[in-house]
Amino acid sequence: IIDDLPIVSSNKKRNSSPTSVAKGISPSSGITSKPMRNHLNSLSLDDAETCVAKVTPDRVYSVVCHPSPDNIITCAGDKKGYLGIWNVDQYGVALGDEASASSDGVHLFKPHAGAISSLAWNSSGTSLFSASYDGSVRAFDANKEVFEEVFATYDDDKIFKEKVGYGTDQGYNSWIQSMELDHRYESGKCFFLSTSEGRVIHIDSRAKGKVTFNQVLSPKKINTVNLHPEGYIMATAGLSTFVELWDVRNMPSTKKLKSLASHCAGRSINSAYFSPNGTKLLTTTQSNTLDIYEGAHLASGVVKPMNSIRHDNQTGRWLSTFMARWHPGTFSDQEMFVVGSMQQPRTIEIFGGDGELMREIRGDALTAVASRCCFHPNANKPIVIGGNSSGRLTVAR
């Protein structure tokens, strides 16, 4: 672990301070009377001048939006450990101290020495947590504009015995593959990590910090770990080809744990995420399907998807894999999810919770495959963000 990495912010144009990221959090006002279908049909990618920005130097591995319902602030982590924060509405805003200068709204930092595999804001929008292949988790304080290391993996050398992550580094082929904030604790200081060698680790970084459990749940890499909204059932998926459901109340355990329910997808699974109301589980598989499970958190034994959507997920070696993601809220009591596409012309797809294809977004601003996509958590209208392998983010609104 490199503890003295330079924390730098760089940009081609001068920008307003990123401390504005932490402001403007307000409760969601709910969906407007305009029908959801009309909202989706109005999404546009036609203005390449304002819809797209170069946010990171290399391939985007993770994307997330700030939780403010009123501001569009997107974040991307790349292959080399760079973190880009783009205040979309700051693009082209004139700077008062220079008559001819304007902002591109992008702030670039380098908090990690390896790929940033996961990004997540805490519920208040004051801290951005990043997990990396370098074995560390860092928190960006948006008010102070500084990074703090909140967790790092260490081997079992006695010089690291006082470290929270002592004994969690399993060697050269071990890294943090994904992170999930534990929503049972609003501070964001408790989180789950999945690793390349099939472990799930729960960390409580409050006070002095501790590893709550460090459990082997798979013989191979776990790509994602996701906690059900009720806080008891956890879904894991990865190279083992299985999506599995676990009861976190049974952890830690000295015995070999058995999953409550599982399903084999035939090939590796890129991601598995519960829907916001928890009734559905969505997986993206290398068997070229998007699988939707109904009530998987209540099931036992072998579960089968209620709907399996054929979808080309073969992104190849040079693109990040697809990971279909739910909208964090609902529209007219209907859930929906977004995923990239290999179609030509380039497309971002939005599906309903039942698997219906609701919108294919295309436009002049989308010139490459958007491998990693997410929704902005805006309750008044859908806003979609896609990240590609050249470090660009595209916003459809």
Side-chain angles (χ1 to χ4, degrees), residues 129-130 136-139 148-152 164 188-189 191 203 205:
F129 291 83
S130 57
S136 69
V137 177
R138 295 177 185 258
E148 175 191 7
E149 183 180 275
V150 294
F151 177 79
V164 175
K189 292 187 177 182
F191 47 87
I203 292 92
S205 64

Side-chain angles (χ1 to χ4, degrees), residues 18-19 21-25 66-68 120-129 139-146 186-189:
T19 55
V21 167
K23 301 176 182 178
I25 303 295
H66 187 262
S68 167
W121 284 97
N122 64 355
S123 58
S124 63
T126 56
S127 295
L128 174 63
F129 291 83
F140 173 67
D141 188 315
N143 290 311
K144 298 178 181 178
E145 302 179 38
V146 296
E186 294 185 358
S187 65
K189 292 187 177 182

Side-chain angles (χ1 to χ4, degrees), residues 351-364:
F351 291 85
D354 58 359
E356 177 192 3
L357 179 60
M358 304 183 71
R359 179 78 160 90
E360 293 179 312
I361 312 171
R362 302 184 179 98
D364 294 339

